[in-house]
Amino acid sequence: MTAVTAPAIRDDLRQWQQALRAQFPIVTGHPELAYLDSAATAQKPQAVLDAVQRYLTTSNANAARGTYTWANRTTELVERTRERVARFLGDHRPDRSAVHFTSGTTEGLRTIARDWLPGFLRDGDEIVVPDADHQANIAPWREAQRLLAREGTHIRVVPMPYQSGSGDYDHRALAERAGPRTRFVATTHVHHVYGGDMNVQRIRRAVGPDAVICLDAAQSVGHLPVSVAELDVDFVVFSGHKALALPGSGAVWARQERGPAFAPGGWNGTPNTVGIASLEAALDWLDAAGPERVEHWTVALAARLTEGLRHLDAYEILGCPLSLAADSAVQRRQGIVTLRHRAIDSGDLGFILFSHGFMVRSDNHCQGDAGEKTGSVRVSLHVYNTVEEIDRLLSVLASLG
């Protein structure tokens, strides 16, 4: 079959992408394979690999624990990268905010739930939890509810409402459910299954100016522009490994305006200095590449894929059906497309696709209890993916009937 370009991908953007793709050794070293699982973890450009080697061979030491040159350089690296994270997130008031390094999104959300949320909530307060999002943005808040109950503080968990069939938040229903005791809202920027931008600005309008909003940005930081100056949220949590840095790196950005100051409890142990070095390099690389262009590329590829899938009756595409058409007036998905074959089990489809050189995710995608009950195949894209890979994937999918 011939895939339909949706939207059109400009020649200058193709040339830009080719130059960036060449900077990923694992991708260029395996031209027979198409890595389509960047929502799970992203590949690393040479600049990040070089930064890691440079740090380990010139400055490796512990941070804030020595007076010699290597230790001082490492301490400077950690503090410099805090500032780098704030700047990358468009923080215009870094003097008021805070950045805390974590092992990733899961630990970051747990840290907020364990060390900050109990001091913010009072008996009878309500929190909103998105039970069809990633488990990492569900389990910590449910655990916090149980821990508070043991101490005699009983809070009510309000399930985030969703629009039927689309996976989008139902902001009108949320406005009806939210009340004066709604103090905290856990939300997601880009959904890890449906690929949609979850319209965080509407969350703020629905819950009012005083509620604290915590944003799981695991699928947005490193994939599209994220500006805390535009998003009226209080926490942004993300994983470095999904933003081209090493596994075991990530950060919590805290606005520090609603509720007590964010300060993780316990003793500050040795930070993941190698991961922090990789994160600084990754953010530098992404800024040079242009997050807007990265988003434009991956959205164009996702639109090309969904447009082609629309003509294959054997497949169901998860998410808002109105956003799949090339000429749709509603927002398109980001660089994530999740699908099912109507006759082939998703696990089997994943194995079939790998036999043709495609690496995809095929399972339930760690979705919460209110999410999909049947497995599916997720195709997730980044700047190193190509139009040719999408067209070849569509050809293989079409051959399966």
Side-chain angles (χ1 to χ4, degrees), residues 6 306-307 310 321-328 332:
T306 52
E307 183 69 14
R310 289 176 67 223
L322 297 178
S323 69
L324 305 182
D327 57 353
S328 173
R332 296 189 182 93

mmCIF file of all heavy atoms in Angstrom, residues 6 306-307 310 321-328 332:
data_model
loop_
_atom_site.group_PDB
_atom_site.id
_atom_site.type_symbol
_atom_site.label_atom_id
_atom_site.label_comp_id
_atom_site.label_asym_id
_atom_site.label_seq_id
_atom_site.Cartn_x
_atom_site.Cartn_y
_atom_site.Cartn_z
ATOM 1 N N ALA A 6 0.753 12.858 6.197
ATOM 2 C CA ALA A 6 -0.195 13.663 6.945
ATOM 3 C C ALA A 6 0.412 14.074 8.280
ATOM 4 O O ALA A 6 0.622 13.236 9.144
ATOM 5 C CB ALA A 6 -1.467 12.849 7.192
ATOM 6 N N THR A 306 -1.115 6.921 11.429
ATOM 7 C CA THR A 306 -2.546 6.805 11.706
ATOM 8 C C THR A 306 -3.368 6.982 10.433
ATOM 9 O O THR A 306 -4.380 6.308 10.246
ATOM 10 C CB THR A 306 -2.996 7.843 12.756
ATOM 11 O OG1 THR A 306 -2.572 9.142 12.364
ATOM 12 C CG2 THR A 306 -2.403 7.535 14.113
ATOM 13 N N GLU A 307 -2.920 7.844 9.544
ATOM 14 C CA GLU A 307 -3.637 8.022 8.286
ATOM 15 C C GLU A 307 -3.611 6.739 7.468
ATOM 16 O O GLU A 307 -4.611 6.346 6.870
ATOM 17 C CB GLU A 307 -3.035 9.184 7.492
ATOM 18 C CG GLU A 307 -3.757 9.513 6.200
ATOM 19 C CD GLU A 307 -5.133 10.113 6.418
ATOM 20 O OE1 GLU A 307 -5.447 10.531 7.557
ATOM 21 O OE2 GLU A 307 -5.915 10.167 5.445
ATOM 22 N N ARG A 310 -5.925 4.031 9.049
ATOM 23 C CA ARG A 310 -7.357 4.280 8.827
ATOM 24 C C ARG A 310 -7.889 3.501 7.628
ATOM 25 O O ARG A 310 -9.089 3.221 7.556
ATOM 26 C CB ARG A 310 -7.619 5.771 8.622
ATOM 27 C CG ARG A 310 -7.473 6.622 9.871
ATOM 28 C CD ARG A 310 -7.660 8.086 9.560
ATOM 29 N NE ARG A 310 -9.049 8.358 9.165
ATOM 30 C CZ ARG A 310 -9.404 9.148 8.153
ATOM 31 N NH1 ARG A 310 -8.480 9.712 7.397
ATOM 32 N NH2 ARG A 310 -10.673 9.356 7.882
ATOM 33 N N PRO A 321 -10.804 9.020 18.145
ATOM 34 C CA PRO A 321 -10.919 8.722 16.713
ATOM 35 C C PRO A 321 -10.965 9.978 15.855
ATOM 36 O O PRO A 321 -10.573 9.951 14.688
ATOM 37 C CB PRO A 321 -12.230 7.934 16.615
ATOM 38 C CG PRO A 321 -13.007 8.334 17.821
ATOM 39 C CD PRO A 321 -12.006 8.597 18.893
ATOM 40 N N LEU A 322 -11.409 11.093 16.434
ATOM 41 C CA LEU A 322 -11.504 12.325 15.658
ATOM 42 C C LEU A 322 -10.148 12.945 15.374
ATOM 43 O O LEU A 322 -10.028 13.817 14.527
ATOM 44 C CB LEU A 322 -12.388 13.342 16.389
ATOM 45 C CG LEU A 322 -13.849 12.938 16.592
ATOM 46 C CD1 LEU A 322 -14.587 14.020 17.374
ATOM 47 C CD2 LEU A 322 -14.533 12.700 15.253
ATOM 48 N N SER A 323 -9.121 12.504 16.102
ATOM 49 C CA SER A 323 -7.801 13.115 15.917
ATOM 50 C C SER A 323 -6.942 12.370 14.907
ATOM 51 O O SER A 323 -5.798 12.738 14.687
ATOM 52 C CB SER A 323 -7.059 13.154 17.259
ATOM 53 O OG SER A 323 -6.712 11.846 17.670
ATOM 54 N N LEU A 324 -7.485 11.344 14.286
ATOM 55 C CA LEU A 324 -6.664 10.512 13.416
ATOM 56 C C LEU A 324 -6.589 11.007 11.978
ATOM 57 O O LEU A 324 -5.634 10.727 11.274
ATOM 58 C CB LEU A 324 -7.203 9.074 13.428
ATOM 59 C CG LEU A 324 -7.339 8.437 14.807
ATOM 60 C CD1 LEU A 324 -7.830 7.010 14.678
ATOM 61 C CD2 LEU A 324 -6.017 8.472 15.542
ATOM 62 N N ALA A 325 -7.595 11.724 11.527
ATOM 63 C CA ALA A 325 -7.611 12.171 10.138
ATOM 64 C C ALA A 325 -6.582 13.270 9.899
ATOM 65 O O ALA A 325 -6.313 14.103 10.761
ATOM 66 C CB ALA A 325 -9.000 12.689 9.773
ATOM 67 N N ALA A 326 -6.010 13.264 8.693
ATOM 68 C CA ALA A 326 -5.001 14.271 8.363
ATOM 69 C C ALA A 326 -5.580 15.675 8.386
ATOM 70 O O ALA A 326 -4.888 16.641 8.682
ATOM 71 C CB ALA A 326 -4.408 13.971 6.992
ATOM 72 N N ASP A 327 -6.878 15.797 8.060
ATOM 73 C CA ASP A 327 -7.497 17.114 7.992
ATOM 74 C C ASP A 327 -8.320 17.426 9.247
ATOM 75 O O ASP A 327 -9.170 18.302 9.242
ATOM 76 C CB ASP A 327 -8.390 17.227 6.752
ATOM 77 C CG ASP A 327 -9.467 16.135 6.725
ATOM 78 O OD1 ASP A 327 -9.435 15.235 7.587
ATOM 79 O OD2 ASP A 327 -10.333 16.189 5.824
ATOM 80 N N SER A 328 -8.057 16.695 10.335
ATOM 81 C CA SER A 328 -8.837 16.878 11.559
ATOM 82 C C SER A 328 -8.606 18.261 12.146
ATOM 83 O O SER A 328 -7.489 18.769 12.171
ATOM 84 C CB SER A 328 -8.469 15.820 12.592
ATOM 85 O OG SER A 328 -9.097 16.093 13.824
ATOM 86 N N ARG A 332 -3.992 16.530 17.060
ATOM 87 C CA ARG A 332 -3.513 15.211 16.720
ATOM 88 C C ARG A 332 -2.739 14.635 17.908
ATOM 89 O O ARG A 332 -2.293 15.361 18.784
ATOM 90 C CB ARG A 332 -2.619 15.262 15.486
ATOM 91 C CG ARG A 332 -3.350 15.706 14.228
ATOM 92 C CD ARG A 332 -2.452 15.521 13.001
ATOM 93 N NE ARG A 332 -3.113 15.980 11.806
ATOM 94 C CZ ARG A 332 -2.983 17.211 11.318
ATOM 95 N NH1 ARG A 332 -2.220 18.077 11.931
ATOM 96 N NH2 ARG A 332 -3.627 17.580 10.229
#
